[in-house]
Amino acid sequence: MDNQEAVAQIDHIHTLWEQLTRELTDVLDAHGVCAAVTYEIAVFTGVRTVVVLSGPPDKYFDAWICDGNGDLQQARWNDVQPALDTLRAPGGAVRQEKMALPAAEIIDSDLWVLVEDDVLFVPLPFPTGRSSNVPQGGICLLDPPDQCPLNQSNIETLATHITIFLDRAFLRQEIDRQQVEFDIVYDLTYSLTATLKKENILNQLIDPVRRILNVEAISIGLVEETTGDIIFEETLMGPLFQKLPPVRLRPGQGIAGVVAESGESLIINNVYKDERFFPKVDTQSGFRTESIICVPLQVEGRVIGILEAINKRNGNFNQTDLRLLQAIASPLAAAIENARLHGDVLAEKRRVETIFSIMPEGMLTVNAEGRVTEANEALLTLMGYQTDEPLVGNPASEVIRVRSGEELDGFMEKVREAHGENPQVASDIEHASGGSVPVLISGASIQDEEGELSEMIFVFSDLRQIRELERMRDDFFHNIVHELRTPLATILMYARLLREGKAQDDEAKADRFLGVIERESDRLQQMVRQMLQLAKMEAREIQRSSERVELNHLFDDLLPPLADRAVERGLVFSQKIQPELPPIVGSQEMIYSVLKNLVENAVKFTISGSVRVEAKRRDGMVRVLVQDEGIGIPEEAQPNLFKRFYRAQTAVERGIAGTGLGLYMVKEAVERHRGSIQVESVEGEGSTFVIELPAAEE
Ligand code: ADP
């Protein structure tokens, strides 16, 4: 080539450069650049031209093929790397003859099958050090003629020129991608903060993340507080996991366990080559994990779980994927934590509401202004309301009317000022019916974070039962005093008569006086004994005793002395006790005195005739019958028989000693043994007492 020819050729190539520069000014995607370059070179040189450009690493190459007449096609080549390797020369551009190729399989490769004799190849020299993978590629002129305007010496400059446009396109692509990622993270963050339900959070997250990372699956594992184990969210695990137990990893187990324990993210592109991977989950599910990127979910430096993306569809996970997943992890962790806290708050609220509603005491909450915010069922009942309408929203001191003592207003003031103490006041509150109910009101104040009063709680304990018990106790003492006074006065009177010598010379009289003293003393003694027994029973000692009471033994001890006494008094005594009565459970002492009282009464209140005692098993019960032909009980006295200190007029008139405590105690004791007592009596004919006690189960 002479000088003139060379200058002409340079001018000529200039045309190509100008043409390409013009073409590529507005082309901002790499595929567009490659297509334009292939076309322009092929048309300019009249030589079939191929531009190859790597897709994702280790996956495939895109190829643009254009004939000299401008016929352009695009192809995707899967296994062109070895063919390209044969063309890579240290100097850059290379001319390779097909004949000189090392192996037959290369000749059959996607590129070489298009070639007849040789290829002029120049790699595209991309600058290294970019954030994503540096693409590979090159320009191939297939079978170029000797006088081809592009040759080994000038094609490298062309390649550099083109690389600038390609690189610009890649950068633009990356910016676009980052913009999309940013938008997605922004959208996700926004939508995550808008919901407090964990399921919603996870559902909102999965699809966008899977799409943008182009992965097969996303999974989330949360750290179980008690064990530290990671439990994977079942809803995200897909159909393969549906019939399996939840996936659970111990701290440090598997990639998720390692990430949760260390708090450091991991990218693993071939999990089966990594010993940290825990393959059992794959074995169970049939899912095949290839690559994993796993980031910790952290809240205030504490790992609450992990977020995993599994099996990237094109190529390996890289730092860009990691950054993206980390960007999502922070708002996700915060959202999950919020949902958990919200759940805890709701659970706590339900707990408090339940306590509030099942409390037997009346409860009232009042806000800082003194208005009722809530009243429980028990308080409504206490006040005689059907609904809380009359109370809620109104000033507490107006709707809770306190009868005696200080007004509720004053008490509320006390509660307001009592720091840490819970003041109490006993009072009467008005009932809707117009009456009043005695209550003990306890109050407590609740402060907010600033120490300002935010709420007050009042508990109303119904004092009616206590008051009733107090009244009964008072009556009881009153009765005792009365009952003790009578025999004591009698004893005192007869003792004085004796001392004053009123029966000095009359032995029979003295004997009668002493008889009265003795009888009244007996009565006093018995009364004291019975009262002690009663006190014991009322102290609920019986509730605590659960002995097996063998009734046959009891009757053996009890009946002979009583039978003797009956016979002494000229009565006919008969007994019919079934052998091997079932035992009953309870207090032996109590049952003994029940039976003794009944039989003693029968003997005591029978002047002549017979007394009969029977005991037998019937329908899981033991039935004891005590029958006499005594004085009987007048009908009008029968309802009062079992009351404390009650004695029928007939007994008092006949001067039959007694305290009126026996039957009261019998009934109490029988009922405490879950039994029953019945009486049938006709005045002047006799009485029949029947008790039934449940037999102990075998
Ligand atoms: P007490 O026998 O000490 O008077 P109780 O409580 O045992 O007291 O009995 C109360 C009253 O019931 C007796 O005072 C008596 O009037 C009447 N009563 C009890 N048992 C009989 C009976 N078997 N026959 C007639 N009256 C009876």
Side-chain angles (χ1 to χ4, degrees):
M1 200 186 325
D2 62 22
N3 218 11
Q4 212 178 353
E5 246 179 282
V7 170
Q9 210 177 30
I10 288 168
D11 277 355
H12 197 51
I13 287 173
H14 249 114
T15 334
L16 173 63
W17 282 17
E18 272 170 27
Q19 180 66 18
L20 271 175
T21 310
R22 217 177 6 253
E23 271 294 298
L24 297 179
T25 316
D26 299 328
V27 182
L28 284 170
D29 77 293
H31 283 209
V33 172
C34 290
V37 166
T38 319
Y39 178 84
E40 291 301 337
I41 295 177
V43 169
F44 174 74
T45 56
V47 172
R48 189 183 237 196
T49 305
V50 176
V51 170
V52 285
L53 188 68
S54 63
D58 304 328
K59 291 276 168 173
Y60 55 81
F61 279 76
D62 282 314
W64 290 263
I65 307 152
C66 190
D67 287 338
N69 59 10
D71 196 357
L72 179 73
Q73 302 167 42
Q74 200 191 336
R76 185 154 283 184
W77 289 346
N78 289 318
D79 198 20
V80 77
Q81 188 66 49
L84 287 179
D85 288 344
T86 60
L87 295 167
R88 217 168 291 281
V94 62
R95 189 153 181 168
Q96 174 71 45
E97 283 191 22
K98 192 172 181 175
M99 291 274 284
L101 285 180
E105 64 268 22
I106 303 247
I107 297 174
D108 290 338
S109 77
D110 287 326
L111 175 65
W112 280 103
V113 289
L114 302 174
V115 179
E116 281 197 358
D117 292 323
D118 64 350
V119 169
L120 172 61
F121 174 82
V122 64
L124 290 166
F126 287 106
T128 49
R130 297 154 45 124
S131 65
S132 51
N133 291 312
V134 179
Q136 290 183 35
I139 307 167
C140 315
L141 269 66
L142 312 189
D143 301 310
D146 287 340
Q147 69 282 16
C148 179
L150 285 176
N151 52 38
Q152 243 174 298
S153 61
N154 61 15
I155 199 164
E156 280 177 25
T157 330
L158 178 72
T160 313
H161 185 66
I162 290 165
T163 312
I164 293 167
F165 285 101
L166 265 179
D167 210 37
R168 186 180 70 148
F170 279 128
L171 285 172
R172 179 54 182 255
Q173 229 167 292
E174 198 162 308
I175 289 168
D176 286 350
R177 194 180 116 95
Q178 280 176 357
Q179 183 61 44
V180 171
E181 286 174 3
F182 179 80
D183 287 350
I184 286 186
V185 172
Y186 179 83
D187 282 354
L188 272 178
T189 309
Y190 185 77
S191 60
L192 287 182
T193 49
T195 173
L196 282 169
K197 263 190 88 180
K198 197 172 81 183
E199 289 71 38
N200 294 353
I201 292 172
L202 302 182
N203 290 338
Q204 277 174 3
L205 178 91
I206 298 316
D207 274 340
V209 177
R210 197 162 46 198
R211 242 182 299 121
I212 187 171
L213 286 174
N214 198 7
V215 292
E216 240 175 272
I218 295 288
S219 57
I220 290 173
L222 295 181
V223 175
E224 191 177 53
E225 251 174 66
T226 45
T227 57
D229 286 1
I230 299 154
I231 301 171
F232 282 83
E233 281 302 316
E234 271 175 80
T235 48
L236 310 182
M237 299 297 278
L240 283 177
F241 291 82
Q242 248 159 32
K243 292 211 171 68
L244 298 179
V247 177
R248 172 189 278 265
L249 295 178
R250 288 193 305 279
Q253 188 179 45
I255 289 161
V258 171
V259 169
E261 205 170 48
S262 65
E264 306 278 342
S265 307
L266 279 181
I267 302 179
I268 297 171
N269 274 312
N270 190 342
V271 291
Y272 278 88
K273 286 211 176 116
D274 194 301
E275 57 187 22
R276 290 167 296 189
F277 179 63
F278 181 67
K280 200 170 149 208
V281 180
D282 273 11
T283 325
Q284 282 176 345
S285 64
F287 182 85
R288 171 84 187 174
T289 309
E290 311 270 346
S291 53
I292 284 186
I293 180 165
C294 181
V295 300
L297 297 173
Q298 283 170 310
V299 176
E300 292 171 340
R302 185 167 49 88
V303 178
I304 64 155
I306 53 98
L307 169 64
E308 256 177 7
I310 298 164
N311 292 359
K312 183 154 172 155
R313 286 188 209 271
N314 51 356
N316 287 334
F317 283 120
N318 55 37
Q319 291 299 320
T320 316
D321 300 326
L322 178 65
R323 269 204 317 277
L324 181 67
L325 213 58
Q326 281 170 332
I328 295 163
S330 325
L332 174 63
I336 290 176
E337 184 72 353
N338 281 345
R340 200 180 59 76
L341 290 175
H342 182 69
D344 287 354
V345 169
L346 283 187
E348 185 60 28
K349 186 165 176 269
R350 276 194 291 270
R351 214 162 63 90
V352 171
E353 276 170 359
T354 309
I355 293 174
F356 201 78
S357 65
I358 66 163
M359 280 266 292
E361 276 86 14
M363 296 260 283
L364 182 81
T365 53
V366 171
N367 65 14
E369 287 83 55
R371 283 177 188 274
V372 176
T373 47
E374 248 180 296
N376 73 349
E377 211 44 55
L379 183 66
L380 300 182
T381 313
L382 202 64
M383 298 186 68
Y385 289 128
Q386 301 289 337
T387 70
D388 61 7
E389 233 169 273
L391 302 181
V392 172
N394 295 315
S397 54
E398 277 175 28
V399 287
I400 312 272
R401 313 275 294 188
V402 178
R403 271 281 168 82
S404 59
E406 58 188 320
E407 284 301 304
L408 194 65
D409 257 343
F411 182 63
M412 274 169 37
E413 213 40 58
K414 226 185 206 172
V415 173
R416 234 179 244 279
E417 272 145 33
H419 297 289
E421 275 171 47
N422 299 333
Q424 290 190 325
V425 61
S427 189
D428 290 86
I429 53 168
E430 253 176 42
H431 189 268
S433 67
S436 70
V437 181
V439 287
L440 178 73
I441 314 175
S442 315
S445 58
I446 298 176
Q447 269 86 23
D448 60 16
E449 304 90 80
E450 272 95 50
E452 293 290 322
L453 179 110
S454 65
E455 221 182 341
M456 284 181 280
I457 299 185
F458 296 95
V459 179
F460 295 77
S461 312
D462 189 346
L463 294 183
R464 279 177 296 192
Q465 224 180 348
I466 294 173
R467 290 275 158 88
E468 174 64 11
L469 284 175
E470 281 172 355
R471 194 193 56 73
M472 278 167 67
R473 194 193 53 203
D474 291 349
D475 285 359
F476 182 63
F477 277 115
H478 184 82
N479 284 340
I480 285 177
V481 170
H482 179 77
E483 295 301 319
L484 291 178
R485 208 157 43 194
T486 322
L488 270 176
T490 316
I491 292 168
L492 204 63
M493 188 179 82
Y494 281 93
R496 277 207 187 113
L497 289 176
L498 281 173
R499 175 185 278 277
E500 285 163 11
K502 292 276 158 55
Q504 212 166 24
D505 306 317
D506 186 345
E507 208 167 303
K509 204 175 181 186
D511 200 48
R512 197 161 51 82
F513 284 6
L514 284 170
V516 172
I517 290 174
E518 197 175 35
R519 201 183 62 224
E520 291 303 301
S521 302
D522 269 354
R523 192 175 154 202
L524 269 180
Q525 198 184 32
Q526 198 188 356
M527 208 186 268
V528 170
R529 203 180 54 235
Q530 278 181 332
M531 279 190 312
L532 281 175
Q533 212 164 29
L534 249 173
K536 221 169 168 183
M537 192 172 73
E538 292 194 330
R540 294 177 182 265
E541 238 167 62
I542 182 165
Q543 228 96 339
R544 277 179 248 124
S545 62
S546 51
E547 312 163 85
R548 278 166 75 86
V549 183
E550 299 292 347
L551 290 169
N552 291 92
H553 293 171
L554 222 59
F555 281 118
D556 288 347
D557 283 354
L558 175 79
L559 293 182
L562 290 171
D564 288 349
R565 198 187 300 172
V567 173
E568 265 168 37
R569 298 189 43 176
L571 307 177
V572 178
F573 189 91
S574 68
Q575 65 185 70
K576 194 172 154 199
I577 311 296
Q578 199 176 55
E580 291 178 30
L581 284 170
I584 58 168
V585 174
S587 154
Q588 162 131 348
E589 193 187 334
M590 244 43 253
I591 297 297
Y592 184 87
S593 67
V594 164
L595 299 172
K596 188 171 178 226
N597 261 296
L598 291 178
V599 183
E600 258 178 358
N601 276 354
V603 174
K604 188 166 72 176
F605 292 109
T606 306
I607 316 298
S608 67
S610 66
V611 169
R612 194 156 67 92
V613 182
E614 274 180 28
K616 61 179 171 190
R617 168 207 287 257
R618 210 178 76 168
D619 302 335
M621 305 290 274
V622 178
R623 185 169 187 271
V624 181
L625 173 141
V626 181
Q627 198 171 46
D628 64 60
E629 294 176 346
I631 61 168
I633 303 154
E635 215 180 317
E636 66 277 9
Q638 288 181 16
N640 298 322
L641 278 194
F642 299 102
K643 289 186 179 159
R644 259 196 202 120
F645 295 114
Y646 182 81
R647 308 195 69 218
Q649 201 54 35
T650 41
V652 179
E653 277 167 3
R654 284 168 192 264
I656 301 173
T659 59
L661 285 169
L663 283 185
Y664 168 74
M665 203 200 61
V666 166
K667 186 163 195 274
E668 285 286 301
V670 166
E671 283 173 358
R672 280 172 196 212
H673 283 81
R674 291 180 293 121
S676 63
I677 179 160
Q678 255 144 25
V679 58
E680 267 175 38
S681 183
V682 177
E683 197 181 347
E685 287 183 17
S687 316
T688 307
F689 287 82
V690 175
I691 58 168
E692 287 195 314
L693 294 165
E697 282 168 26
E698 292 305 320

